[in-house]
Amino acid sequence: MLKFVNTLSGKSEVFEPLEGNHVRLYACGPTVYNFAHIGNFRSFLFVDVLRRYLKYRGYDLTHVMNLTDVDDKIIRDATAAGLDIRAFTEKYIVHFWEDADALGMERPDIVVRATDHIPEMIDLVGRLVERGRAYESDGSVYFKIAAFEDYGKLSGNKVAGNQAGASERVDADEYEKEDVRDFVLWKGTKPGEPNWETRFGCGRPGWHLECSAMAMKYLGETFDIHCGGVDLIFPHHENEIAQSEGATDKPFVKYWLHAEHLMVDGRKMAKRDGNYYTVRDLVEKGFDPLAVRYSLISVPYRKPFNFTIESLQGVERRLKRLNESVRRLREANPQDLGGQPDGLLDDIATVTAQFEAGMDDDLNTAEALAALAMLETAVNTAVQQERLSEAGKQGAIAAFEKMDSVLGFLEPATDELLDDEVQALIDERLEARKAKNFARSDEIRSLLAERGILLEDGKDGTRWRRA
Ligand code: AMP
Ligand code: ZN
């Protein structure tokens, strides 16, 4: 039975989707003003593992992620670069997906940009104003916390809220609020800032508004799961609840899941502290991005994780060994055990049960990796002792692949020849023909044909294509 620790209740709860087999999931995405660091990617990879495990468990999934493409830091850095925010953020969106792809992250089903949803945000502001839960002041619109009783139910933070200095993301320049706790929904225009003309005047959205507006647009007013890093619990997610429930009077989200931080030397990895690595920093140091993935998902998401280069080196060695074990298994010749079982099928059942029990327990990836290691040991023993049946081999390969549909770091099976390998065989065939060794040249042609490579001999050499 799949269970999650829900930040809203602080308890472990059995997961039941609101509607049949369909799971609706919203995850806060990156603020695209720079390269994401691996701390950010710890949070995104947690969501990736969650999405993959929901699919493993047979759920239909609609997964939405936003890209925050307007905020103070974006405006600051775009201005410095002499670009409008659209052109500026575009570049970092491209880089974000390059890194995400390298880390083997599946794409969410729907990816949305804040600046493409200004009308939806304004509608939401309108609903809040109509209900007396928001007010206009000096060209901006604020959420009125005193008019929303449930404020604080996610974070437990009712009072300190939204005051300057309470969070790095709270603006220090909001003076016109009725109550210091109130937060801005719509910011009145300022010289030099991008702005949109709306019925609440010319301005731009506050940060929290986009996620409420876009989540409800694509997933409905109440949906199943909302995730992000723990630093988003307050004020961002608390404010999302206020904005959404304040407008609908319906529960916004059933399960709130939050990933703990990636730390360096006991401190949160953060851009402003300079203590961070990007994916490309690590690739430049020679690391396999899938080893980075392995490392970042190895600690269960609700536990803080202290990152070190040494531990990544260890993980990279571990992943190499694991890939070798799987490769040896794929290449192993099953033995004729005279009808005797090889024991592997029992091991596979045990290991799969352990993997699922771990993952069912609030995505305990450490347990899942321990299960994977058990399978590896069982397989290595069977291969070394030459006690591998065909059924055991196929079962073990399938079990590795199934677990990896969630973990996502194993080398895929490949019987496809790489381009270099094809070229080497073509060169060898040419040499064979020059030496009038037609038997070998024919052999190479048919070997390539078996692998789907078609040759065309022409005046200027041999060309090839895949069938
Ligand atoms: P941002 O691009 O700042 O909006 O952050 C994107 C995501 O990364 C959010 O879910 C943050 O909670 C998360 N995040 C930021 N720093 C860390 C960190 N050191 N460890 C884990 N997640 C983080
Ligand atoms: Zn958000």
Side-chain angles (χ1 to χ4, degrees):
M1 219 185 321
L2 179 55
K3 289 184 181 170
F4 294 126
V5 174
N6 189 349
T7 309
L8 195 56
S9 64
K11 296 196 182 107
S12 172
E13 296 176 16
V14 173
F15 177 66
E16 274 172 41
L18 290 157
E19 254 180 38
N21 198 47
H22 184 202
V23 180
R24 287 166 290 161
L25 163 71
Y26 186 90
C28 292
T31 306
V32 279
Y33 75 106
N34 207 321
F35 295 100
H37 57 63
I38 58 167
N40 302 129
F41 277 113
R42 182 186 191 202
S43 291
F44 299 130
L45 285 171
F46 139 65
V47 179
D48 187 56
V49 168
L50 167 65
R51 90 169 246 126
R52 286 164 173 259
Y53 194 60
L54 289 166
K55 291 198 297 180
Y56 177 106
R57 275 296 187 202
Y59 292 111
D60 295 328
L61 183 68
T62 306
H63 169 192
V64 179
M65 187 187 87
N66 70 306
L67 298 166
T68 299
D69 63 351
V70 53
D71 94 328
D72 295 345
K73 282 178 280 188
I74 290 173
I75 296 169
R76 179 194 68 196
D77 293 357
T79 309
L83 292 170
D84 69 46
I85 56 167
R86 191 85 190 181
F88 178 75
T89 53
E90 193 63 55
K91 178 174 140 190
Y92 290 108
I93 292 173
V94 170
H95 291 319
F96 176 78
W97 290 122
E98 285 166 358
D99 291 347
D101 289 346
L103 292 172
M105 260 171 66
E106 291 184 352
R107 299 280 172 114
D109 307 289
I110 301 174
V111 177
V112 282
R113 295 176 72 146
T115 55
D116 289 335
H117 294 79
I118 303 293
E120 289 84 348
M121 294 190 228
I122 290 296
D123 280 352
L124 186 57
V125 174
R127 289 168 81 179
L128 290 166
V129 171
E130 272 162 35
R131 287 167 172 252
R133 286 182 169 139
Y135 58 92
E136 289 181 70
S137 169
D138 201 27
S140 295
V141 187
Y142 296 94
F143 187 90
K144 191 182 176 80
I145 287 186
F148 183 68
E149 254 188 19
D150 276 351
Y151 195 82
K153 71 175 173 184
L154 183 70
S155 62
N157 194 341
K158 278 181 187 297
V159 229
N162 304 305
Q163 295 177 40
S167 154
E168 58 185 285
R169 290 278 192 115
V170 175
D171 288 325
D173 56 355
E174 296 169 17
Y175 297 118
E176 306 305 326
K177 301 190 279 193
E178 288 174 3
D179 181 332
V180 282
R181 298 183 305 156
D182 294 349
F183 63 91
V184 73
L185 297 168
W186 185 255
K187 296 181 170 193
T189 193
K190 278 196 209 144
E193 285 194 354
N195 55 67
W196 287 263
E197 188 61 64
T198 73
R199 69 181 149 119
F200 291 106
C202 198
R204 64 176 172 100
W207 168 41
H208 316 295
L209 188 61
E210 63 178 89
C211 287
S212 288
M214 296 191 285
M216 292 199 288
K217 169 168 181 178
Y218 294 100
L219 298 173
E221 292 181 344
T222 303
F223 59 92
D224 299 287
I225 308 177
H226 196 315
C227 337
V230 282
D231 56 327
L232 299 188
I233 298 174
F234 186 85
H236 185 52
H237 289 163
E238 195 67 66
N239 290 355
E240 276 189 46
I241 293 177
Q243 294 164 152
S244 308
E245 300 189 359
T248 65
D249 282 320
K250 292 181 196 157
F252 177 44
V253 169
K254 192 168 176 193
Y255 305 92
W256 286 91
L257 310 187
H258 291 102
E260 260 297 341
H261 284 144
L262 188 67
M263 318 289 285
V264 184
D265 302 326
R267 284 195 312 159
K268 176 188 169 189
M269 181 174 285
K271 245 167 246 145
R272 63 173 179 169
D273 293 332
N275 61 346
Y276 66 89
Y277 294 104
T278 63
V279 176
R280 46 202 74 212
D281 291 338
L282 296 173
V283 169
E284 260 170 39
K285 285 181 189 290
F287 287 107
D288 173 358
L290 292 179
V292 177
R293 177 186 175 95
Y294 185 131
S295 166
L296 292 176
I297 68 173
S298 62
V299 174
Y301 76 95
R302 277 190 184 266
K303 291 209 164 85
F305 174 7
N306 199 47
F307 177 82
T308 63
I309 289 286
E310 293 70 40
S311 71
L312 181 58
Q313 284 162 342
V315 167
E316 182 147 292
R317 287 193 293 273
R318 163 91 198 94
L319 181 58
K320 274 210 177 88
R321 279 200 310 273
L322 190 56
N323 276 322
E324 266 160 34
S325 300
V326 180
R327 209 177 309 136
R328 265 201 312 273
L329 171 69
R330 291 189 199 280
E331 286 164 6
N333 291 318
Q335 280 82 45
D336 180 1
L337 300 178
Q340 295 260 39
D342 60 6
L344 213 46
L345 291 176
D346 292 337
D347 291 332
I348 292 167
T350 313
V351 160
T352 305
Q354 185 184 335
F355 176 84
E356 290 176 0
M359 291 302 291
D360 277 352
D361 178 17
D362 198 27
L363 310 180
N364 187 337
T365 44
E367 274 294 307
L369 290 172
L372 190 74
M374 263 172 62
L375 180 61
E376 184 192 9
T377 308
V379 159
N380 285 346
T381 309
V383 172
Q384 272 154 19
Q385 296 180 350
E386 302 194 344
R387 290 193 52 78
L388 182 70
S389 71
E390 180 64 34
K393 173 178 170 171
Q394 296 311 331
I397 291 174
F400 274 124
E401 287 178 351
K402 186 137 191 253
M403 289 192 247
D404 194 57
S405 72
V406 177
L407 301 170
F409 48 59
L410 289 182
E411 255 169 30
T414 159
D415 53 356
E416 193 172 86
L417 289 171
L418 301 173
D419 289 4
D420 286 353
E421 292 171 325
V422 173
Q423 196 53 53
L425 284 166
I426 289 175
D427 293 346
E428 192 193 333
R429 174 169 168 265
L430 191 69
E431 289 304 313
R433 293 214 304 189
K434 274 195 201 140
K436 303 214 182 308
N437 183 353
F438 296 112
R440 179 62 186 155
S441 94
D442 287 349
E443 191 178 81
I444 292 174
R445 177 187 271 281
S446 48
L447 188 147
L448 286 168
E450 271 168 32
R451 311 289 282 270
I453 307 292
L454 304 178
L455 303 185
E456 262 171 56
D457 293 317
K459 278 201 299 296
D460 40 353
T462 302
R463 304 213 295 187
W464 66 272
R465 64 186 168 83
R466 296 187 195 273

